[in-house]
Short mmCIF file of all heavy atoms in Angstrom, two decimals:
data_model
loop_
_atom_site.label_atom_id
_atom_site.label_comp_id
_atom_site.label_asym_id
_atom_site.label_seq_id
_atom_site.Cartn_x
_atom_site.Cartn_y
_atom_site.Cartn_z
N PHE A 335 268.71 217.09 187.12
CA PHE A 335 269.49 217.33 185.91
C PHE A 335 270.20 218.72 186.00
O PHE A 335 271.28 218.81 185.48
CB PHE A 335 268.51 217.30 184.62
CG PHE A 335 267.74 215.99 184.48
CD1 PHE A 335 266.57 215.93 183.75
CD2 PHE A 335 268.30 214.77 185.06
CE1 PHE A 335 265.93 214.77 183.70
CE2 PHE A 335 267.60 213.64 184.94
CZ PHE A 335 266.39 213.58 184.23
N ASP A 336 269.57 219.62 186.72
CA ASP A 336 270.26 220.87 186.94
C ASP A 336 271.59 220.64 187.68
O ASP A 336 272.65 221.18 187.33
CB ASP A 336 269.45 221.85 187.88
CG ASP A 336 268.09 222.36 187.30
OD1 ASP A 336 268.00 222.23 186.11
OD2 ASP A 336 267.29 222.76 188.09
N ILE A 337 271.54 219.78 188.75
CA ILE A 337 272.76 219.50 189.51
C ILE A 337 273.76 218.81 188.70
O ILE A 337 275.01 219.11 188.73
CB ILE A 337 272.42 218.55 190.69
CG1 ILE A 337 271.30 219.26 191.60
CG2 ILE A 337 273.67 218.29 191.50
CD1 ILE A 337 270.71 218.37 192.70
N ILE A 338 273.35 217.81 187.79
CA ILE A 338 274.32 217.07 186.94
C ILE A 338 274.93 218.08 186.05
O ILE A 338 276.18 218.12 185.92
CB ILE A 338 273.55 216.00 186.08
CG1 ILE A 338 273.01 214.92 187.03
CG2 ILE A 338 274.57 215.44 185.07
CD1 ILE A 338 272.07 213.91 186.30
N ALA A 339 274.19 218.99 185.41
CA ALA A 339 274.74 219.97 184.46
C ALA A 339 275.70 220.89 185.17
O ALA A 339 276.84 221.11 184.65
CB ALA A 339 273.61 220.79 183.77
N PHE A 340 275.32 221.46 186.31
CA PHE A 340 276.22 222.37 187.11
C PHE A 340 277.54 221.64 187.53
O PHE A 340 278.58 222.22 187.25
CB PHE A 340 275.49 222.96 188.24
CG PHE A 340 276.27 223.99 188.91
CD1 PHE A 340 276.72 225.15 188.19
CD2 PHE A 340 276.76 223.86 190.23
CE1 PHE A 340 277.45 226.13 188.83
CE2 PHE A 340 277.55 224.92 190.81
CZ PHE A 340 277.85 226.05 190.10
N SER A 341 277.44 220.39 188.06
CA SER A 341 278.60 219.78 188.54
C SER A 341 279.57 219.48 187.42
O SER A 341 280.78 219.61 187.43
CB SER A 341 278.33 218.50 189.38
OG SER A 341 277.68 217.62 188.52
N ARG A 342 278.98 219.19 186.19
CA ARG A 342 279.92 218.91 184.98
C ARG A 342 280.57 220.16 184.57
O ARG A 342 281.78 220.08 184.35
CB ARG A 342 278.88 218.46 183.84
CG ARG A 342 279.00 216.91 183.72
CD ARG A 342 278.50 216.43 182.39
NE ARG A 342 277.84 215.15 182.67
CZ ARG A 342 276.75 214.73 182.27
NH1 ARG A 342 276.06 215.55 181.49
NH2 ARG A 342 276.31 213.54 182.57
N GLU A 343 279.89 221.28 184.54
CA GLU A 343 280.51 222.49 184.18
C GLU A 343 281.67 222.85 185.16
O GLU A 343 282.78 223.16 184.73
CB GLU A 343 279.54 223.64 184.09
CG GLU A 343 278.37 223.58 183.06
CD GLU A 343 278.88 223.37 181.65
OE1 GLU A 343 280.06 223.58 181.41
OE2 GLU A 343 278.05 222.99 180.85
N LEU A 344 281.36 222.69 186.51
CA LEU A 344 282.41 222.89 187.38
C LEU A 344 283.56 222.07 187.22
O LEU A 344 284.71 222.47 187.26
CB LEU A 344 281.78 222.64 188.92
CG LEU A 344 281.12 223.74 189.60
CD1 LEU A 344 280.57 223.43 190.92
CD2 LEU A 344 282.07 224.93 189.80
N GLU A 345 283.31 220.79 187.08
CA GLU A 345 284.40 219.77 186.88
C GLU A 345 285.33 220.19 185.65
O GLU A 345 286.52 220.22 185.75
CB GLU A 345 283.93 218.45 186.63
CG GLU A 345 283.92 217.66 187.94
CD GLU A 345 283.29 216.27 187.74
OE1 GLU A 345 282.23 216.06 187.11
OE2 GLU A 345 283.90 215.27 188.27
N SER A 346 284.68 220.62 184.55
CA SER A 346 285.49 220.87 183.36
C SER A 346 286.26 222.13 183.54
O SER A 346 287.40 222.29 183.12
CB SER A 346 284.60 220.93 182.10
OG SER A 346 283.65 221.87 182.22
N PHE A 347 285.74 223.14 184.26
CA PHE A 347 286.46 224.37 184.56
C PHE A 347 287.57 224.13 185.54
O PHE A 347 288.63 224.73 185.48
CB PHE A 347 285.57 225.51 184.93
CG PHE A 347 284.90 226.22 183.71
CD1 PHE A 347 283.60 225.79 183.37
CD2 PHE A 347 285.51 227.21 183.09
CE1 PHE A 347 283.01 226.37 182.22
CE2 PHE A 347 284.90 227.82 181.97
CZ PHE A 347 283.65 227.34 181.60
N LYS A 348 287.25 223.31 186.54
CA LYS A 348 288.13 223.03 187.58
C LYS A 348 289.45 222.37 187.04
O LYS A 348 290.61 222.66 187.40
CB LYS A 348 287.56 222.07 188.61
CG LYS A 348 288.16 222.22 189.96
CD LYS A 348 287.48 221.48 191.01
CE LYS A 348 288.21 221.63 192.33
NZ LYS A 348 287.91 220.61 193.27
N GLU A 349 289.28 221.53 186.02
CA GLU A 349 290.49 220.86 185.42
C GLU A 349 291.42 221.92 184.83
O GLU A 349 292.61 221.76 184.77
CB GLU A 349 290.05 219.91 184.39
CG GLU A 349 289.73 218.49 184.86
CD GLU A 349 288.88 217.65 183.95
OE1 GLU A 349 289.05 217.88 182.78
OE2 GLU A 349 288.27 216.73 184.36
N LEU A 350 290.75 222.99 184.30
CA LEU A 350 291.58 223.96 183.59
C LEU A 350 292.31 224.94 184.52
O LEU A 350 293.28 225.56 184.21
CB LEU A 350 290.62 224.84 182.68
CG LEU A 350 289.90 224.15 181.62
CD1 LEU A 350 288.97 225.09 180.83
CD2 LEU A 350 290.94 223.57 180.54
N SER A 351 291.78 225.18 185.73
CA SER A 351 292.24 226.23 186.60
C SER A 351 293.04 225.67 187.84
O SER A 351 293.17 224.47 187.91
CB SER A 351 291.22 227.22 187.02
OG SER A 351 290.05 226.50 187.13
N SER A 352 293.37 226.59 188.65
CA SER A 352 294.33 226.25 189.79
C SER A 352 293.53 225.69 190.97
O SER A 352 292.35 225.49 190.94
CB SER A 352 295.06 227.44 190.25
OG SER A 352 294.08 228.37 190.84
N VAL A 353 294.17 225.44 192.07
CA VAL A 353 293.52 224.88 193.29
C VAL A 353 292.44 225.90 193.83
O VAL A 353 291.47 225.50 194.30
CB VAL A 353 294.63 224.62 194.36
CG1 VAL A 353 294.03 223.69 195.53
CG2 VAL A 353 295.78 224.00 193.68
N SER A 354 292.78 227.14 193.75
CA SER A 354 291.84 228.14 194.28
C SER A 354 290.73 228.44 193.32
O SER A 354 290.51 229.61 193.03
CB SER A 354 292.64 229.38 194.68
OG SER A 354 293.27 229.88 193.46
N PHE A 355 290.11 227.43 192.81
CA PHE A 355 289.09 227.59 191.84
C PHE A 355 287.87 228.23 192.39
O PHE A 355 287.48 228.01 193.57
CB PHE A 355 288.73 226.19 191.26
CG PHE A 355 287.66 226.18 190.31
CD1 PHE A 355 287.80 226.70 189.10
CD2 PHE A 355 286.43 225.75 190.71
CE1 PHE A 355 286.79 226.75 188.23
CE2 PHE A 355 285.34 225.86 189.82
CZ PHE A 355 285.61 226.32 188.55
N ASP A 356 287.32 229.15 191.67
CA ASP A 356 286.13 229.98 192.10
C ASP A 356 284.88 229.27 191.52
O ASP A 356 284.60 229.39 190.29
CB ASP A 356 286.38 231.38 191.57
CG ASP A 356 285.18 232.25 191.80
OD1 ASP A 356 284.23 231.80 192.50
OD2 ASP A 356 285.31 233.43 191.43
N PRO A 357 284.05 228.76 192.42
CA PRO A 357 282.76 228.10 191.97
C PRO A 357 281.77 229.01 191.35
O PRO A 357 280.83 228.65 190.61
CB PRO A 357 282.25 227.35 193.19
CG PRO A 357 282.79 228.20 194.29
CD PRO A 357 284.06 228.72 193.88
N GLY A 358 281.94 230.36 191.66
CA GLY A 358 280.86 231.38 191.12
C GLY A 358 281.47 232.14 189.98
O GLY A 358 281.02 233.26 189.60
N HIS A 359 282.57 231.53 189.43
CA HIS A 359 283.16 232.31 188.29
C HIS A 359 282.19 232.56 187.08
O HIS A 359 281.42 231.65 186.79
CB HIS A 359 284.33 231.48 187.75
CG HIS A 359 285.27 232.24 186.86
ND1 HIS A 359 284.95 232.57 185.54
CD2 HIS A 359 286.50 232.78 187.10
CE1 HIS A 359 285.91 233.24 184.99
NE2 HIS A 359 286.94 233.47 185.95
N PRO A 360 282.11 233.73 186.50
CA PRO A 360 281.11 234.04 185.46
C PRO A 360 281.16 232.98 184.36
O PRO A 360 280.10 232.71 183.79
CB PRO A 360 281.52 235.44 184.99
CG PRO A 360 282.41 235.94 186.02
CD PRO A 360 282.98 234.89 186.90
N LYS A 361 282.24 232.38 183.96
CA LYS A 361 282.33 231.54 182.93
C LYS A 361 281.57 230.22 183.24
O LYS A 361 280.85 229.62 182.41
CB LYS A 361 283.74 231.07 182.54
CG LYS A 361 284.51 232.16 181.66
CD LYS A 361 285.77 231.62 181.23
CE LYS A 361 286.58 232.67 180.38
NZ LYS A 361 287.96 232.44 180.31
N VAL A 362 281.64 229.80 184.52
CA VAL A 362 280.94 228.60 184.88
C VAL A 362 279.51 228.79 184.85
O VAL A 362 278.69 228.08 184.38
CB VAL A 362 281.37 228.15 186.28
CG1 VAL A 362 280.65 226.93 186.80
CG2 VAL A 362 282.80 227.96 186.49
N LEU A 363 279.03 229.95 185.37
CA LEU A 363 277.57 230.32 185.45
C LEU A 363 277.07 230.46 184.01
O LEU A 363 275.90 230.01 183.75
CB LEU A 363 277.35 231.61 186.24
CG LEU A 363 277.89 231.60 187.71
CD1 LEU A 363 277.34 232.77 188.51
CD2 LEU A 363 277.58 230.27 188.45
N LYS A 364 277.81 231.01 183.20
CA LYS A 364 277.30 231.25 181.78
C LYS A 364 277.24 229.90 181.09
O LYS A 364 276.12 229.70 180.41
CB LYS A 364 278.41 232.10 181.03
CG LYS A 364 277.82 232.69 179.75
CD LYS A 364 278.85 233.60 179.25
CE LYS A 364 278.38 234.07 177.86
NZ LYS A 364 279.45 234.79 177.09
N ALA A 365 278.14 228.95 181.34
CA ALA A 365 278.01 227.68 180.69
C ALA A 365 276.81 226.90 181.21
O ALA A 365 276.15 226.31 180.51
CB ALA A 365 279.31 226.86 180.92
N TYR A 366 276.60 226.99 182.54
CA TYR A 366 275.46 226.36 183.13
C TYR A 366 274.11 226.93 182.56
O TYR A 366 273.20 226.17 182.23
CB TYR A 366 275.46 226.64 184.67
CG TYR A 366 274.16 226.12 185.34
CD1 TYR A 366 273.78 224.76 185.47
CD2 TYR A 366 273.21 227.04 185.77
CE1 TYR A 366 272.64 224.42 186.18
CE2 TYR A 366 272.00 226.77 186.36
CZ TYR A 366 271.78 225.40 186.55
OH TYR A 366 270.59 224.97 187.22
N SER A 367 274.04 228.18 182.53
CA SER A 367 272.79 228.86 181.98
C SER A 367 272.61 228.49 180.53
O SER A 367 271.44 228.05 180.12
CB SER A 367 273.02 230.42 182.14
OG SER A 367 271.84 230.98 181.52
N ARG A 368 273.66 228.43 179.74
CA ARG A 368 273.47 228.01 178.35
C ARG A 368 272.97 226.60 178.26
O ARG A 368 272.09 226.24 177.49
CB ARG A 368 274.86 228.15 177.68
CG ARG A 368 274.80 228.52 176.18
CD ARG A 368 276.09 228.78 175.62
NE ARG A 368 277.27 228.10 176.19
CZ ARG A 368 278.42 228.61 176.53
NH1 ARG A 368 278.57 229.88 176.46
NH2 ARG A 368 279.37 227.92 177.08
N ASN A 369 273.63 225.71 179.03
CA ASN A 369 273.25 224.32 179.08
C ASN A 369 271.78 224.05 179.48
O ASN A 369 271.11 223.22 178.80
CB ASN A 369 274.18 223.55 180.10
CG ASN A 369 274.03 222.11 180.10
OD1 ASN A 369 272.84 221.61 180.15
ND2 ASN A 369 275.11 221.34 180.17
N ARG A 370 271.32 224.71 180.50
CA ARG A 370 270.01 224.43 181.02
C ARG A 370 268.86 225.17 180.36
O ARG A 370 267.70 224.61 180.26
CB ARG A 370 269.98 224.63 182.52
CG ARG A 370 270.73 223.70 183.34
CD ARG A 370 270.37 222.30 183.12
NE ARG A 370 269.12 221.87 183.64
CZ ARG A 370 268.37 220.90 183.12
NH1 ARG A 370 268.75 220.20 182.08
NH2 ARG A 370 267.25 220.52 183.64
N SER A 371 269.09 226.50 179.95
CA SER A 371 267.97 227.26 179.46
C SER A 371 267.14 226.61 178.36
O SER A 371 265.97 226.38 178.56
CB SER A 371 268.42 228.53 178.87
OG SER A 371 269.23 229.35 179.79
N PHE A 372 267.81 226.08 177.35
CA PHE A 372 267.09 225.42 176.23
C PHE A 372 266.32 224.25 176.69
O PHE A 372 265.21 224.09 176.37
CB PHE A 372 268.04 225.14 175.08
CG PHE A 372 267.34 224.48 173.91
CD1 PHE A 372 266.47 225.15 173.06
CD2 PHE A 372 267.59 223.15 173.72
CE1 PHE A 372 265.84 224.50 172.05
CE2 PHE A 372 266.97 222.45 172.68
CZ PHE A 372 266.04 223.16 171.87
N ARG A 373 267.02 223.40 177.47
CA ARG A 373 266.38 222.03 177.83
C ARG A 373 265.26 222.27 178.82
O ARG A 373 264.21 221.69 178.63
CB ARG A 373 267.47 221.19 178.63
CG ARG A 373 268.43 220.68 177.66
CD ARG A 373 269.66 220.24 178.42
NE ARG A 373 270.82 220.10 177.48
CZ ARG A 373 271.43 218.96 177.21
NH1 ARG A 373 271.07 217.83 177.74
NH2 ARG A 373 272.46 218.99 176.46
N ILE A 374 265.38 223.30 179.81
CA ILE A 374 264.22 223.43 180.72
C ILE A 374 263.05 224.02 179.92
O ILE A 374 261.92 223.47 180.09
CB ILE A 374 264.66 224.39 181.87
CG1 ILE A 374 265.70 223.76 182.76
CG2 ILE A 374 263.41 224.87 182.60
CD1 ILE A 374 266.38 224.68 183.74
#
Side-chain angles (χ1 to χ4, degrees):
F335 303 157
D336 295 342
I337 303 170
I338 296 171
F340 185 61
S341 61
R342 259 196 215 135
E343 298 301 349
L344 271 178
E345 263 178 312
S346 58
F347 278 94
K348 207 174 173 196
E349 272 167 25
L350 298 175
S351 34
S352 66
V353 192
S354 59
F355 176 71
D356 174 0
H359 196 285
K361 278 189 182 164
V362 180
L363 303 193
K364 200 171 168 194
Y366 168 76
S367 178
R368 212 174 28 229
N369 183 317
R370 289 308 286 152
S371 299
F372 176 73
R373 287 164 201 243
I374 292 170

